[in-house]
């Protein structure tokens, strides 16, 4: 963790925002190297009960709990600091802002928990003329829409509701905590309601930051990156639901048109990432709330990689003048091979570099924890009965493992499983295989055969335990959780380097 | 992994350069976005994904752009598509057109108004408001300030919003000039705003090029006057450019004018001048302020004028119209330069062929003012119905067809079909202006006002000339083609083939007094037409609905196997035309009524309602001569029933017409026709009919074609009406059936009276009754006849009843009857009863009646099951007929009979009905006219030696009983016996001598033996009428005409034949005269007939009779005289006759007791009761002997 890295304020808008954040969290848990001293996710979703969002928040909290018990000299799992916005308040009243904001990853938008749009904007108390204008811009259905479920593909309503953001304590606090080199990244989808609306609105409010905000000038010229996720899944046709897959593309085109005139076209962003896919799977339609919880998708992981890419751009290339990016980037994502079922082999070199080593290491760790840990502790293996800090039989029952790590891993495995069954699928790992050399789908390490040619270079739990023993012996005395994680980090480095390194070139 | 080509994850196809996150040269370009394939392109669903509160405004930008691009790449015919984008464009243009014609719409009280939203003022208001208002205002401001690259919020100060009944319709836009409000489910269409045939905001988007030229010229004029608009309202301008292409292709002349006057005008100042003089400022926003497209660009509007045009050149000339402002009649391409709307009519003025607006909401074509006008679709239907048969133009106005081939009835069985049977495709509105007669008339310059001209092989062009004030005529013309869909907007009509027919019974009136049944028969059962649900309505000359007295449905094509629906209307008021609709198409039917002169001749009607057959006769008093009774005959040129189809053709499917004929009436009736009198006593009714609501002639009727054509499926038949038990319950089925039969008989009589010039007000109805009918029934019949006579003839009708027995006597000429010295007996043998009158000096002295008649021979004895077919004669002849049925030819008759195993036809009826059918073959027209010979039941019976014995017993029994009666009444032996009635035919079957001398010989011997003395020297003879059935009616009429109605006679019942109470005191009650026992003056009721002695005596009486008859064979050989069987067989038959006499007697008595109340006086002798059973048994034996 290099303190000279900038902070990253990561705005995740709507369901897609939450899902990409989840992917990022797993990458960071695996130890992927993000050039950020802190990641401050700010989830914007008026749909309080959104299943995707709730799951992501649970994972983030878990991540924090795990991370708080670890050290990062010997271990890079969970290395990146993920913090809530509120946590940036200084304990020192002199340096603090004095603002009281909720300690949550989610930005709580006032007045959106319940109530309908017309109440929200005070339609009934407007002048007749303004009511007529409102009627022109919003249909009766719009006006009667319950806000707690998002905007149901009506981003024009979102653009009003979400605009509270600019007046909120959180936004003001965010502005005050914006450091000189800190960066902003915005994740949203273009075809929903919340994401599509919040994104341009946020950009407009950053670039047009009013004098009321501290650091407003810094904000206007801050390095702002964004990914706009275009459709990659559909919704099964269902007449009773307002979200309609058939119009996803049409909506996307309308919004892209709008962006080209009023967002990307006017250099508001330093970097704009586009992604989307025509190979799509239909989900059952859901109108927000807890039902809106879809399988994870590789596109979300690729989107998360855009954040690594953005953070890798040198500061000098992200300059702004008068709120306009001097040399904006526009980026797209490519894979190798247009396959319906992807493996890690389909990733480009850079993606492999960023993601494959850490994910493989973490997958190996999870594999062991899931299948051999109990046995290794009870038997016990040498590394567990260590002279230094033994890992005893109660380790797995204790809070760290049972309450946090095991739960986090369940989500991690779920994430992999969901991506593997989605369309397009990313089948990264055989996460539970005892034949550990086959843990990466589509890649088996090879060794030169005695008789010439190549044979699979087999890897079993004995080899694994061997490496664990070797690494354990090198580690200093640490608290048991720290030591435990370090043992696995170090030994999976060994395993990866000895077996899988050729995959990432 | 299939390949190692890189794949960029995006929605459009393009270069796949790199893997990983890699730079591209810029953001997604417009072209790339356009290249994203939209699976829902063409969807009608509106898109709402623009992340700005002004999404609605941007949406219209996208829509105009998309539609314009689409027209550019896919051709300008795509402008008429119906995608969500086209809908948005159309809605916006609708708003624009309302702006442009605001003055006009304002006149029609649509409650339209403008709301001006001033940017500065209203945003300030919002920002001063509560948190919601403030946020809303700030958000609007944020976007209005930033999004000016394309939308140019900075160019406007105001939005002008258009409100209708407090609902927003749309407003102005800085980018597309106009936008429309949300129109989900086409909700805005409810305001019924529109021009010509364009209903605004509906599901039929209307491209600009189809809209009115003044409006189009305005838009182009505005852009040409302010050329900057082309860059500021780019998307709208692109659409206008695309529109020009479409205009040049579809409305070239308009396009050229537009080019010449505006677009190609080199001198810009001239354009500006023209624009400012042609249009006036659209200052109808608040406080008469203007409406601005952009700052400094003021909208203008059409100049409006609004006057009454009732006396204008184009005003329709109609004496009839009473609807306020007189509409103009306008015709596309009308060439004459008449004055029009304070100007001159231009021949290129586009008159919509169809204007969906009510007359008073219409905008005059080529002008911008509300005034009623009429166009083609107001008077001509979109579809013309064509019936699949020649229409009877003698009775229906045919629309003056030209160029068609007329059907020719002489071209074979179905004639040579023509192609001219088009129904009148006129709307009801036409009759608001013109009377039906107008259609037959001519213009002042000698043209037909209306005609239908052949067009192509299957089409027709309808031309209707409408007089206008100038003295000219406007022509409404529409071509109807087969196999096309009607498009009234394009004036394209469709020919729809319809399978229906109409029946009118009758189609004449006297001084517009009408008593008519109209039937509509619908055979539209093809998949595409089976849902047609026909309806007929009647209208008077002045357009008033003439309500039928009642409507009934009978057959239902969706429910019944006849696959025809019949609907009846009972009309008691005159009407001029009919409106027939099948639910989708409609037509007008104008019947040519025959007007009958009010008759002057007094008339008598006699009805003989018989058990098996009935008869009806009329006589007209003309001058001082004695009126001659005549039967009803319906001649072809005096038909009561008129059908829309020519009477000599069949419809397709045939049942369409057949259901009319078979339920209402045959066309003709007469001796050589298929139907004639006497006719069977039978009704049919549709299954599950509600008898309480049944109306004669509609859902219950006389099947005139019974025995000639099959009865309708899903209908039930009922014979034996005369003796059917009737309760007093409302809706009693038998009552309704009897009523229906009698009603239709009287209806027929009524029509005949009118046709023959009879005076209904001087009418006498005579009905005949059998003496044995019983008191209760007589009262009931009396009441019924009185009521029906008033209903069907007139209120002043005189109703008289005549004994069936008495009447026939008067049918004989004076030279035939000799009742001076000796009695003459008239014996009327019907199906159910024999009625006898004893005459002396041409004067009736005594009458008697007994139920020993035709059905004793031809029915089932005491087997009362209706459908029982056990009669021996039926069985004997059955196979012969059934074999004949299987041979080809004579289709209808055979179908009427049915085949074994089929669930329809007479074959399923009882013996009496079947035997009746067997006999009917001899008089069947179809058989007669075919070269197929039908088996003769009469010939067959005359060859049956065994059966002859039965006939002898039957005949002898009557003679024997009557002889005893005469003797008891102290009368001398009779001089003559006249036989009438259907049962009298048995004498003809028995005796092949045409003067019945053999039968007379037999009778004479029997009488001598009864009297126990030789015959008087004048001798004895039998007269059997050649048409025995008519005798009753004719005689009844003669009686009335000769004033012999009130001649008294005594009703006699000789309970037993032989017993003589004077000699045998144990038989105290054997003779009843006028209801009282001769010996003690008491009334004998049926409950008194329980005496076993009596039964024994009756049984002995019969035995003695049988002995006597068979004894006669010795001196009067049956074999010689009648070709009857003889010898042992004869004895065997006699023995059979003698079997079961007692039980048959009891059976007969029991059945009688079931039918009458026990307290009713006895009205018939008991002598015949045992014989009814015996005869049945003997016939059964004979059939069995023959292996049947």
């Amino acid at each position: 963790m290099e303190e000279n890295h900038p902070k990253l304020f990561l705005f995740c808008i709507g369901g897609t925002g939450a899902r990409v954040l989840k992917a990022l969290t797993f990458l960071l848990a695996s130890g992927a190297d993000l050039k950020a001293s802190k990641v401050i996710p700010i989830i914007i979703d008026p749909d309080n009960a959104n299943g995707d969002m709730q799951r992501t928040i649970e994972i983030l909290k878990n991540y924090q709990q795990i991370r708080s018990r670890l050290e990062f000299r010997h271990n890079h799992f969970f290395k990146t600091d993920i913090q809530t916005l509120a946590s940036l308040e200084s304990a020192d009243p002199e340096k603090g802002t004095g603002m009281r904001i909720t300690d949550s990853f989610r930005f709580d938008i006032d007045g959106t928990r319940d109530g309908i749009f017309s109440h929200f904007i005070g339609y009934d108390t407007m002048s007749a003329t303004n009511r007529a204008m409102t009627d022109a811009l919003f249909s009766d259905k719009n006006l009667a829409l319950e806000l707690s479920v998002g905007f149901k593909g009506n981003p024009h309503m979102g653009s009003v509701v979400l605009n509270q953001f600019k007046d909120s304590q959180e936004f003001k606090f965010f502005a005050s905590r914006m450091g000189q080199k800190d960066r902003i990244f915005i994740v949203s989808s273009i075809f929903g309601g919340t994401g599509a609306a919040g994104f341009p609105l946020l950009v407009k409010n950053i670039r047009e930051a009013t004098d009321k905000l501290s650091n407003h000038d810094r904000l206007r010229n801050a390095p702002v990156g964004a990914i706009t996720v275009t459709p990659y899944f559909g919704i099964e046709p269902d007449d009773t639901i307002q979200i309609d897959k058939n119009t996803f593309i049409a909506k996307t085109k309308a919004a892209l048109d709008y962006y080209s005139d009023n967002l990307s076209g006017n250099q508001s962003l330093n970097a704009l990432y586009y992604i989307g896919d025509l190979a799509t799977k239909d989900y059952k339609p859901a109108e927000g709330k807890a039902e809106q919880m879809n399988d994870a998708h590789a596109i979300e992981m690729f989107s998360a990689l855009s954040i690594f890419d953005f953070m890798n751009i040198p500061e000098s290339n992200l300059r702004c003048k008068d709120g306009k990016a001097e040399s904006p980037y526009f980026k797209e994502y490519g894979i190798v091979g247009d396959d319906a079922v992807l493996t890690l082999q389909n990733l480009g070199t850079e993606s492999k570099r960023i993601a494959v080593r850490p994910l493989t290491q973490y997958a190996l760790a999870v594999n062991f924890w899931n299948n051999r840990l109990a046995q290794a502790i009870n038997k016990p293996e040498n590394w567990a009965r260590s002279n230094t800090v033994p890992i005893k039989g109660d380790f797995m029952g204790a809070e760290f493992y049972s309450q946090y790590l095991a739960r986090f891993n369940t989500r991690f495995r779920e994430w992999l499983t969901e991506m593997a069954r989605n369309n397009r699928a990313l089948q990264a790992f055989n996460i539970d295989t005892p034949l550990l050399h086959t843990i990466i789908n589509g890649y088996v390490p090879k060794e030169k055969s005695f008789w010439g040619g190549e044979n699979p270079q087999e890897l079993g739990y004995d080899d694994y335990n061997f490496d664990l023993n070797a690494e354990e012996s090198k580690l200093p005395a640490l608290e048991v959780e720290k030591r435990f994680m370090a043992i696995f980090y170090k030994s999976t480095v060994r395993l990866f380097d000895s077996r899988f390194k050729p995959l990432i070139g | 992994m299939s390949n190692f080509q890189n794949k960029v994850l995006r929605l459009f196809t393009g270069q796949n350069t790199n893997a990983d996150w890699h730079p591209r040269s810029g953001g997604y370009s417009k072209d790339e976005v356009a290249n994203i394939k939209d699976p829902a392109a063409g969807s009608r669903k509106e898109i709402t994904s623009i992340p700005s509160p002004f999404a609605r405004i941007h949406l219209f930008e996208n829509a105009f752009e998309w539609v314009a691009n689409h027209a550019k790449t896919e051709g300008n015919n795509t402008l008429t598509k119906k995608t969500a984008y086209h809908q948005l464009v159309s809605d916006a243009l609708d708003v624009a057109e309302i702006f442009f014609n605001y003055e006009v719409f304002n006149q029609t009280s649509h409650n339209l108004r403008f709301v001006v939203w001033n940017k500065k003022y209203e945003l300030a208001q919002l920002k001063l408001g509560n948190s919601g208002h403030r946020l809303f205002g700030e958000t609007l401001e944020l976007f209005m300030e930033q999004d000016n690259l394309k939308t140019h919020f900075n160019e406007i100060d105001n939005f002008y919003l258009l409100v209708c009944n407090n609902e927003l319709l749309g407003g102005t836009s800085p980018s597309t000039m106009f936008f429309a409000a949300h129109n989900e489910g086409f909700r805005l269409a409810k305001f019924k705003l529109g021009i010509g045939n364009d209903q605004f905001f509906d599901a039929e988007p209307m491209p600009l090029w189809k809209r009115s030229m003044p409006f189009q010229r305005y838009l182009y004029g505005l852009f040409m006057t302010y050329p900057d608009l082309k860059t500021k309202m780019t998307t709208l301008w692109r659409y206008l450019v695309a529109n020009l292409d479409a205009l040049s292709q579809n409305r070239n002349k308009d396009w050229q004018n537009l080019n010449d006057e505006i677009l190609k005008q080199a001198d810009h100042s001239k354009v500006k001048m023209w624009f400012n003089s042609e249009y006036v400022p659209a200052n109808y926003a608040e406080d008469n302020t203007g409406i601005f497209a952009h700052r400094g660009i003021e909208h203008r509007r059409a100049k409006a004028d609004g006057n009454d045009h009732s006396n204008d050149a184009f005003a329709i000339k109609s004496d009839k119209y009473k609807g306020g402002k007189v509409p103009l009649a306008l015709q596309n391409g009308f060439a004459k330069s008449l004055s029009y709307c304070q100007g001159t009519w231009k021949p290129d003025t586009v008159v919509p062929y169809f204007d969906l607006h009510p007359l008073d909401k219409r905008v005059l074509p080529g002008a911008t003012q509300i005034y009623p006008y009429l166009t083609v679709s107001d008077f001509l239907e979109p579809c013309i119905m064509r019936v699949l048969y020649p229409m009877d133009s003698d009775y229906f106005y045919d629309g003056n067809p030209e160029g068609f081939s007329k059907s020719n009835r002489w071209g074979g069985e179905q004639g040579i079909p023509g192609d001219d049977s088009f129904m009148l495709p006129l709307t009801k509105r036409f009759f608001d202006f013109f009377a039906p007669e107008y259609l037959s008339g001519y213009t002042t310059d000698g043209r037909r006002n209306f005609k239908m001209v052949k067009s192509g092989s299957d089409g027709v062009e309808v031309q209707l000339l409408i007089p206008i004030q100038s003295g000219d005529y406007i022509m409404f013309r529409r071509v109807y083609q087969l196999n096309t869909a009607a498009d009234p907007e394009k004036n394209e009509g469709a020919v729809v083939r319809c399978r229906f027919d109409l029946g009118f019974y009758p189609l004449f009136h006297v001084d517009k007094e009408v008593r008519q049944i109209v039937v509509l028969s619908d055979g539209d059962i093809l998949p595409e037409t089976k849902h047609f649900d026909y309806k007929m309505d009647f209208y008077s000359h002045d357009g008033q609905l003439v309500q039928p007295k009642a409507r009934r449905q009978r057959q239902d094509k969706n429910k019944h196997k006849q696959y025809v629906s019949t609907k009846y209307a009972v009309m008691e008021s005159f009407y001029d035309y009919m409106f027939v609709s099948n639910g989708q198409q409609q037509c007008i039917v104008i019947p040519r009524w025959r007007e009958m002169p009010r008759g002057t001749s007094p008339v008598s009607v006699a009805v003989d309602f018989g058990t098996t057959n009935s008869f009806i006769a009329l006589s007209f008093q003309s001058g001082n001569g004695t009126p001659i009774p005549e039967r009803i005959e319906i001649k072809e040129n005096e038909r009561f029933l008129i059908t829309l189809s020519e009477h000599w053709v069949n419809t397709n499917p045939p049942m369409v017409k057949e259901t009319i004929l078979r339920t209402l009436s045959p066309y003709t009736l007469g001796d050589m026709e298929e139907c004639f009198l006497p006719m069977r006593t039978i009704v049919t009714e549709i299954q599950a009919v509600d008898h309480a609501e049944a109306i004669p002639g509609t859902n219950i009727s006389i099947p005139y074609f019974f025995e000639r054509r099959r009865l309708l499926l899903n209908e039930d038949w009922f014979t034996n009406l005369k003796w059917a038990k009737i309760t007093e319950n409302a809706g009693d089925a038998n009552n309704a059936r009897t009523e229906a039969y009698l009603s239709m008989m009287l209806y027929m009589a009524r029509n005949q009276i009118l046709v023959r010039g009879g005076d209904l007000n001087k009418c006498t109805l005579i009905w005949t009754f059998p003496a044995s009918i019983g008191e209760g029934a007589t009262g009931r019949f009396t009441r019924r006849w009185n009521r029906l006579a008033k209903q069907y003839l007139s209120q002043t009708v005189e109703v008289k009843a005549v004994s069936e027995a008495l009447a026939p006597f008067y049918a004989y000429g004076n030279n035939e009857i000799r009742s001076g010295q000796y009695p003459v007996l008239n014996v009327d043998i019907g199906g159910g009863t024999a009625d006898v009158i004893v005459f002396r000096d041409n004067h009736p002295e005594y009458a008697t009646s007994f139920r020993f008649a035709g059905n004793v021979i031809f029915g089932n004895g005491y087997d009362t099951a209706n459908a029982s077919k056990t009669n021996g004669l039926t069985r004997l002849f059955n196979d012969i007929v059934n074999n004949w049925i299987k041979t080809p030819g004579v289709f209808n008759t055979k179908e009427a009979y049915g085949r074994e195993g089929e669930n329809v036809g007479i074959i399923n009826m009882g013996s009496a009905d079947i035997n009746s059918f067997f006999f009917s073959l001899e008089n069947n027209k179809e058989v007669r006219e075919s070269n197929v010979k039908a088996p003769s039941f009469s010939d067959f019976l005359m060859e049956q030696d065994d059966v002859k014995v039965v006939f002898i017993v039957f005949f002898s029994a009557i003679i024997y009983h009557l002889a005893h009666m005469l003797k008891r009444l102290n009368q001398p032996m009779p001089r003559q016996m006249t036989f009438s009635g259907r049962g009298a035919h048995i004498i003809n079957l028995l005796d092949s001598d045409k003067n019945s001398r053999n039968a007379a010989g037999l009778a004479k011997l029997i009488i001598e033996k009864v009297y126990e003395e030789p015959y008087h020297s004048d001798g004895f003879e039998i007269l059997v009428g050649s048409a025995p059935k008519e005798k009753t009616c004719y005689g009844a009429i003669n009686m009335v005409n000769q004033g012999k109605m009130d001649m008294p006679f005594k009703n006699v019942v000789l309970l037993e034949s032989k017993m003589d109470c004077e000699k045998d005191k144990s038989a105290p009650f054997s003779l009843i005269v006028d209801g009282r026992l001769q010996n003690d003056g008491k009334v004998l009721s049926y409950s008194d007939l329980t005496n076993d002695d009596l039964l024994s005596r009756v049984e002995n009486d019969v035995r003695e009779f049988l002995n006597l008859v068979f004894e006669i064979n010795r001196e009067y050989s049956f074999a010689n005289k009648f070709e009857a069987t003889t010898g042992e067989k004869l004895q065997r038959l006699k023995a059979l006759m003698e079997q079961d006499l007692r039980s048959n007697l009891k059976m007969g008595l029991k059945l009688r007791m079931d039918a009458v109340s026990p307290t009713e006086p006895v009205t018939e002798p008991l002598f015949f009761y045992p014989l009814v059973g015996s005869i049945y048994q003997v016939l059964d034996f004979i059939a069995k002997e023959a292996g049947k």
Side-chain angles (χ1 to χ4, degrees), chain A residues 50-101:
Chain A
N50 184 315
D52 282 330
M53 185 190 69
Q54 294 295 355
R55 195 155 71 167
T56 300
I57 288 176
E58 178 206 322
I59 291 164
L60 284 169
K61 285 183 175 164
N62 231 337
Y63 182 100
Q64 285 186 310
Q65 289 291 348
I66 296 164
R67 187 177 184 280
S68 69
R69 290 164 169 80
L70 302 179
E71 59 74 47
F72 305 102
R73 269 176 300 131
H74 307 286
N75 160 50
H76 287 179
F77 289 153
F78 299 93
K79 189 182 101 175
T80 302
D81 192 5
I82 301 180
Q83 287 293 341
T84 59
L85 188 58
S87 73
L88 298 182
E89 173 72 333
S90 173
D92 181 351
E94 295 291 307
K95 292 180 181 172
T97 60
M99 286 190 246
R100 290 272 172 277
I101 63 167

Side-chain angles (χ1 to χ4, degrees), chain B residues 225-236:
Chain B
T225 308
Y226 303 98
D228 272 5
L229 278 179
K230 290 183 195 170
T231 51
K232 292 196 175 146
M233 296 193 179
T234 340
T235 49
L236 175 60

Side-chain angles (χ1 to χ4, degrees), chain A residues 130 166 208 258 337 339 351, chain B residues 2 5 20 117 138 146-147:
Chain A
N130 270 319
K166 68 178 174 48
E208 294 285 324
Y258 178 81
D339 299 316
S351 301
Chain B
S2 58
Q5 293 293 304
D20 294 317
W117 191 85
E138 282 172 0
Q146 294 212 358
D147 295 354

Side-chain angles (χ1 to χ4, degrees), chain A residues 205-220:
Chain A
N205 275 307
I206 290 169
R207 291 306 185 208
E208 294 285 324
T210 62
D211 300 350
K212 290 180 219 158
L213 297 169
S214 42
N215 293 332
H216 56 83
D217 201 44
R218 188 182 288 169
L219 212 53
R220 280 184 200 160

Side-chain angles (χ1 to χ4, degrees), chain B residues 647-843:
Chain B
H647 68 282
W648 47 267
V649 294
N650 218 331
T651 54
N652 175 16
M655 285 319 293
V656 171
K657 176 181 254 179
E658 286 290 307
T659 46
I660 298 176
L661 298 179
R662 293 190 201 179
T663 59
L664 204 50
S665 168
Y667 287 121
T668 55
L669 193 81
D671 269 351
M672 297 307 285
E673 304 295 339
E674 195 173 352
C675 299
F676 50 83
L677 295 176
M679 61 189 193
R680 282 296 311 272
T681 303
I682 179 173
V683 294
T684 54
E685 66 188 31
I686 191 71
Q687 283 168 1
V689 69
D690 176 358
H691 290 102
E693 296 289 319
I695 295 179
T698 67
N699 36 19
I700 306 185
S701 59
I702 302 177
Y704 290 90
F705 288 89
F706 182 63
E707 294 179 343
R708 286 96 167 160
R709 302 186 194 180
R710 197 168 74 177
L711 293 171
L712 296 179
L713 301 177
N714 293 92
E715 299 211 346
D716 295 325
W717 67 82
F718 299 91
T719 56
N720 202 27
L721 296 171
K722 187 169 181 173
W723 304 101
K725 197 163 181 168
I726 288 173
T727 68
E728 295 301 323
N729 301 336
D732 178 84
N734 284 333
N735 185 50
R737 289 163 191 150
T738 309
E739 185 114 353
Y741 190 82
L742 301 180
S743 295
M744 291 317 284
M745 297 252 289
L746 289 182
Y747 203 164
M748 190 157 68
R750 174 196 171 86
N751 289 330
Q752 179 77 340
I753 291 167
L754 292 175
V755 166
R756 297 288 316 278
D759 183 351
L760 286 173
N761 290 318
K762 295 178 199 151
C763 179
T764 308
L765 171 67
I766 307 149
W767 59 280
T768 62
F769 61 90
S772 54
I773 195 167
E775 272 182 0
T778 309
R780 196 162 49 237
F781 271 106
T782 306
R783 287 192 300 276
R784 174 183 279 133
W785 280 115
N786 281 327
R787 186 163 41 75
L788 294 180
K790 285 197 166 71
Q791 195 177 333
Y792 285 93
L793 298 172
S794 74
Q795 286 297 318
T796 56
V797 67
E798 230 183 307
V799 182
K800 292 180 174 168
V802 169
S803 163
E804 281 172 20
L806 193 54
F809 178 79
Y810 295 97
Y812 290 97
N814 288 336
N815 298 332
E816 291 176 90
I817 300 297
R818 298 171 185 91
S819 61
Q821 188 178 357
Y822 303 107
V824 170
L825 274 67
N826 181 69
V827 186
D828 183 60
I829 309 175
T833 60
D835 292 273
V836 184
I837 295 279
V838 180
F839 289 89
R840 289 296 296 275
D841 271 338
N842 286 337
H843 194 284

Side-chain angles (χ1 to χ4, degrees), chain B residues 3 24 126 129 261 288 358 394 398 430 696-697 742 769 844 856 1091:
Chain B
N3 66 73
R24 42 176 289 128
L126 285 171
E261 290 173 37
N288 286 333
D394 287 346
D398 62 1
F430 171 81
L742 301 180
F769 61 90
V856 172
N1091 186 324

